Amino acid sequence: MITGTPKPIEELLEMLEPYENIIVAGCFGCVTVCRVGGDKEVQVLSSTLRLAREAKGKNLQIREVCLERQCDPEYLELMRPYLEEYQAVLSIACGAGIQFLAEKFSKTPILPGINTGFLGVTERQGEWTERCQGCGDCVLHLTGGICPVTRCAKSIFHGPCGGSVEGKCEISKDVKCGWQLIIDRLKSLDQMENYGKIKPYKGWDSSRDGGPRRILREDMI
Amino acid sequence: MKSGSNLERVLSAGHFSVTAECGPPRGADPDVVREKAAYVKDNVDACNVTDNQTSVVRMSSLAGCMLVRETGVEPLIQMVVRDRNRIALQSDLLGASALGVRNLLCLSGDHQKFGDDPQAKNVFDIDSMQLIHMVKTMRDEGVFPSGEKLEGAPKFYIGCAVNPFADPYDIRVPRLKLKIDAGADFVQTQCIYNMETFIKYMEDAKKEGLHEKIKILAGVTPLKSAGMAKFMNRMVAGIDIPEAVIKRIADEPKEKQAEKGIEMCIEQIHELKEMEGIAGVHVMAIEWEEKLNEIIGGAGLLPRPVIE
Amino acid sequence: MLPCTGRIDESLLLKAFENGADGVMVVGCLEGDCHYVNGNIRARARVERVYQILEQIEIGPDRVRMYNLSAGEGAKFAAFANEFVEIISTIGQSPINKARSGNSQPVQEVES
């Protein structure tokens, strides 16, 4: 899922300073699952903002909504009938949702309520870790199902580097060495022959480096 | 000859080779490099010039190489893949070769987290293995990785680094083999303190015949004090200093610890000289270049051979 | 009706403040004694989060507090209630109520 973290409340209050009547918009997609932008978070954030503003003697009217997804146009359209009544939308969806809102509604300021994080997994309640950078050229079949681009701090293809100690990365004792994980897994799969080959330079053009990406599926259009 | 460098000539002639390193200054003062190079001069076959080591910003490695060469020392340019993409790396390789640098060390580079600018964007477009391969392609085939022909191929004696003390141990020799396959001519190791592990590493490398395919320069760093030993052991990833080594220097009174460190380093070089498969030593006297002559001379490695 | 403090979420507590409460006490069963295994432990975590929110927005974190007792401890409940009222009286009126005195209640729109 796409993960994220709430923006500090002071930052949001500063962002909302010019407005008195806004929409706080959540999303029932990824951000609901990682508890940063769902229906509940809309309620808590709206209450928090109202209380903070009222304590300073400045009211803030909030319409609380949570869309099925902010990354699909048909759900965004549901906001159109009432959007003009509000001065701004504070979206706590991921960066994709926030931008899509901005794109669809050209006359309303759209503000980010969260900092979008990474494509990750739930380790346990309250802990998420990164797994994929969406580089567009998957090599997981060669690396035991563990991604060197994401899991290695240097994204190297022939690791581990000299900074790998007792399974930990040189950047922090809290970070596992991605290449130690790859090697452990290759060994348990009896696929160490994959290690002994020099891999071609990675084509980062399928990644973000190639410019904003597009997937076009002719068969579906 | 692949590059015609002095280091290559000395190693090819079968001499036990010596390299050292100069860290460029954290500023634009060229005299800092000149002073260090003066201590290095006549003691080594080539001198590494580090490339923003530990991600701390310093004068560029190429500029440092030029200053070192001006002093009469053959430079060895270190190049990390942390800060430059393949376009910049190729360009700098061409530039270094054009300016007469003939030795190259291909490195990943420490993560930027360790330096002054932990918020910097890192590059790692290609890794150190691929850098070796890229230089070899450019040198031997006279083409860019893209396949375009070069107007003059860069001439480098290609080096790589290995850390026999990093984990997992059992990938260390296979990884050296990969670097040889990629095109490395020589290798400089991480500083060795744990001779037991290093001997095992060499045995494993020799079983694969690697010592015949690549010139292995064993890395040593003289300890200045027991405090430095403890600090390095604890704080520097991939450095392994056994208790016995720390104890040996710690048992000396403080004012004699530096002297003891040098004695231990010389002793270690003697031991390395006797080991089959070791082609030379890389003496990293960190901010202690003035001791190089004493160490290298003490190890019976002076004068350095002159090979035309 | 709430069957368990585990059913209380942060927004409910915040709503109480929005609706004019100067303090909110959450009274749950004794820890380790929850009919729903860990409802009161979850409640405690949520109360802690509200505590942090109140601190961040300068409403005064001590306006929310969790107490634990068993259903048979009527006297203790009374003592806790008195204690909490004492605390809140000392802290005084919430900044929301201070700001509101003279103002009308804000309108809330909720859409599910």
Side-chain angles (χ1 to χ4, degrees):
Chain A
M1 86 191 91
I2 298 169
T3 61
T5 49
K7 273 191 178 289
I9 201 78
E10 307 86 71
E11 187 181 342
L12 293 178
L13 287 169
E14 198 187 325
M15 220 184 262
L16 293 170
E17 191 62 38
Y19 309 111
E20 286 165 0
N21 189 21
I22 65 162
I23 295 172
V24 170
C27 172
F28 280 115
C30 308
V31 289
T32 290
V33 186
C34 68
R35 302 275 300 273
V36 69
D39 192 26
K40 272 194 164 183
E41 290 73 31
V42 168
Q43 291 175 33
V44 173
L45 178 60
S46 300
S47 286
T48 304
L49 292 171
R50 279 191 297 259
L51 285 169
R53 281 282 286 260
E54 258 204 88
K56 301 266 183 290
K58 281 186 75 183
N59 277 11
L60 182 66
Q61 303 293 323
I62 298 178
R63 181 173 186 141
E64 302 174 15
V65 299
C66 195
L67 302 176
E68 197 57 35
R69 282 191 294 281
Q70 291 193 21
C71 54
D72 272 321
E74 56 267 41
Y75 300 113
L76 298 184
E77 284 306 320
L78 299 176
M79 285 174 72
R80 195 177 294 280
Y82 54 81
L83 197 81
E84 275 190 7
E85 298 163 32
Y86 300 88
Q87 295 168 304
V89 180
L90 179 67
S91 166
I92 53 174
C94 71
I98 300 169
Q99 290 187 60
F100 215 23
L101 263 175
E103 214 172 299
K104 297 293 171 201
F105 304 120
S106 60
K107 293 209 168 120
T108 307
I110 310 291
L111 316 169
I114 71 165
N115 290 320
T116 303
F118 46 79
L119 301 188
V121 296
T122 310
E123 295 277 359
R124 57 185 164 140
Q125 168 108 326
E127 183 183 2
W128 296 271
T129 53
E130 186 169 17
R131 286 295 181 281
C132 179
Q133 295 207 344
C135 76
D137 183 18
C138 195
V139 295
L140 287 172
H141 59 299
L142 299 174
T143 55
I146 292 158
C147 174
V149 175
T150 311
R151 305 297 295 278
C152 169
K154 301 177 184 172
S155 296
I156 63 176
F157 274 73
H158 305 84
C161 76
S164 174
V165 177
E166 290 170 0
K168 298 293 159 55
C169 175
E170 68 179 24
I171 64 162
S172 164
K173 290 205 171 13
D174 298 328
V175 177
K176 289 178 183 164
C177 167
W179 271 96
Q180 174 82 57
L181 296 174
I182 291 172
I183 284 158
D184 291 347
R185 180 107 169 110
L186 288 176
K187 275 187 193 159
S188 70
L189 293 172
D190 201 18
Q191 289 182 351
M192 275 304 282
E193 73 276 7
N194 286 347
Y195 184 80
K197 293 174 197 144
I198 295 171
K199 294 162 192 81
Y201 316 144
K202 180 167 176 63
W204 295 105
D205 52 339
S206 60
S207 182
R208 224 257 4 128
D209 303 83
R213 291 172 278 178
R214 176 168 79 141
I215 295 171
L216 188 62
R217 291 269 306 270
E218 299 277 6
D219 57 321
M220 291 173 68
I221 295 169
Chain B
M1 283 288 145
K2 291 164 172 168
S3 69
S5 78
N6 182 55
L7 179 63
E8 182 181 6
R9 290 199 307 271
V10 170
L11 283 166
S12 302
H15 293 285
F16 192 81
S17 162
V18 183
T19 55
E21 74 172 31
C22 271
R26 303 208 60 207
D29 183 358
D31 289 335
V32 179
V33 184
R34 291 187 185 118
E35 279 159 31
K36 284 185 179 181
Y39 289 122
V40 174
K41 190 171 158 44
D42 298 329
N43 292 317
V44 300
D45 304 317
C47 179
N48 290 40
V49 181
T50 53
D51 181 6
N52 298 300
Q53 76 266 33
T54 63
S55 308
V56 169
V57 180
R58 289 168 186 274
M59 180 191 289
S60 80
S61 180
L62 180 53
C65 281
M66 289 300 97
L67 293 166
V68 161
R69 203 169 72 137
E70 196 184 88
T71 319
V73 179
E74 178 170 280
L76 188 161
I77 189 168
Q78 296 196 179
M79 209 173 266
V80 301
V81 297
R82 177 194 58 226
D83 308 322
R84 282 167 289 191
N85 68 8
R86 69 190 77 174
I87 300 170
L89 288 168
Q90 290 172 61
S91 170
D92 282 352
L93 285 167
L94 298 180
S97 182
L99 291 171
V101 180
R102 289 289 173 266
N103 306 299
L104 167 74
L105 188 70
C106 303
L107 301 167
S108 305
D110 295 310
H111 194 269
Q112 71 276 11
K113 183 194 159 104
F114 298 101
D116 304 327
D117 300 290
Q119 294 185 323
K121 189 176 196 305
N122 66 29
V123 181
F124 297 113
D125 173 15
I126 59 174
D127 65 19
S128 61
M129 196 77 68
Q130 293 164 333
L131 176 60
I132 296 167
H133 180 266
M134 190 172 85
V135 185
K136 185 179 159 65
T137 306
M138 291 168 79
R139 180 190 70 189
D140 296 349
E141 295 169 32
V143 293
F144 288 103
S146 63
E148 289 294 309
K149 206 173 169 318
L150 281 155
E151 290 173 43
K155 293 277 171 249
F156 285 111
Y157 193 44
I158 306 170
C160 65
V162 294
N163 182 1
F165 312 101
D167 290 319
Y169 173 78
D170 50 2
I171 212 69
R172 293 295 144 194
V173 170
R175 194 154 183 263
L176 172 58
K177 185 171 179 298
L178 268 182
K179 290 190 172 182
I180 296 169
D181 292 345
D185 303 309
F186 72 94
V187 54
Q188 292 173 319
T189 77
Q190 173 66 284
C191 11
I192 302 160
Y193 294 102
N194 188 335
M195 286 296 277
E196 203 180 314
T197 303
F198 186 63
I199 289 167
K200 180 172 174 346
Y201 175 84
M202 283 304 296
E203 288 306 318
D204 291 338
K206 281 186 281 187
K207 270 183 223 152
E208 300 280 326
L210 302 188
H211 62 306
E212 284 158 4
K213 295 180 183 159
I214 190 164
K215 300 293 184 188
I216 301 173
L217 276 62
V220 294
T221 291
L223 293 168
K224 279 183 188 170
S225 64
M228 169 187 175
K230 285 175 193 159
F231 173 82
M232 283 174 71
N233 198 36
R234 201 175 54 243
M235 300 303 289
V236 186
I239 294 264
D240 173 11
I241 312 183
E243 269 311 305
V245 173
I246 298 177
K247 187 172 183 311
R248 230 184 122 190
I249 190 159
D251 281 350
E252 293 292 319
K254 270 223 155 75
E255 66 280 7
K256 290 207 166 155
Q257 288 184 349
E259 200 181 306
K260 188 71 183 176
I262 287 175
E263 180 196 318
M264 285 162 67
C265 186
I266 292 171
E267 203 176 282
Q268 193 187 8
I269 297 174
H270 276 297
E271 198 179 333
L272 290 163
K273 257 163 71 181
E274 299 309 314
M275 278 172 66
E276 190 200 351
I278 303 294
V281 280
H282 177 47
V283 189
M284 292 164 274
I286 304 159
E287 298 301 320
W288 216 16
E289 289 81 3
E290 65 271 26
K291 295 290 178 188
L292 279 171
N293 182 266
E294 186 183 338
I295 295 166
I296 296 163
L301 296 170
L302 292 178
R304 299 307 309 147
V306 178
I307 295 160
E308 292 309 325
Chain C
M1 208 186 66
L2 289 168
C4 170
T5 51
R7 189 66 185 77
I8 296 173
D9 68 14
E10 294 91 328
S11 70
L12 189 66
L13 297 173
L14 291 167
K15 286 267 159 52
F17 287 102
E18 285 195 77
N19 288 327
D22 288 317
V24 178
M25 71 185 287
V26 177
V27 185
C29 302
L30 291 170
E31 289 192 4
D33 214 14
C34 176
H35 182 66
Y36 301 99
V37 187
N38 58 2
N40 50 4
I41 306 285
R42 294 199 165 187
R44 187 179 62 188
R46 289 168 190 156
V47 168
E48 275 170 20
R49 278 201 285 276
V50 171
Y51 179 96
Q52 282 163 10
I53 290 172
L54 295 178
E55 192 166 35
Q56 279 169 3
I57 60 177
E58 295 164 15
I59 300 288
D62 296 326
R63 295 183 185 279
V64 67
R65 185 151 176 189
M66 178 146 185
Y67 291 92
N68 297 85
L69 45 72
S70 81
E73 295 177 296
K76 208 169 179 184
F77 174 79
F80 282 157
N82 287 332
E83 177 193 296
F84 189 68
V85 168
E86 187 64 29
I87 292 170
I88 299 303
S89 309
T90 314
I91 303 172
Q93 212 183 10
S94 98
I96 309 296
N97 289 336
K98 274 186 202 155
R100 269 183 199 163
S101 36
N103 292 349
S104 59
Q105 294 279 311
V107 182
Q108 286 175 31
E109 289 183 58
V110 179
E111 197 168 287
S112 57

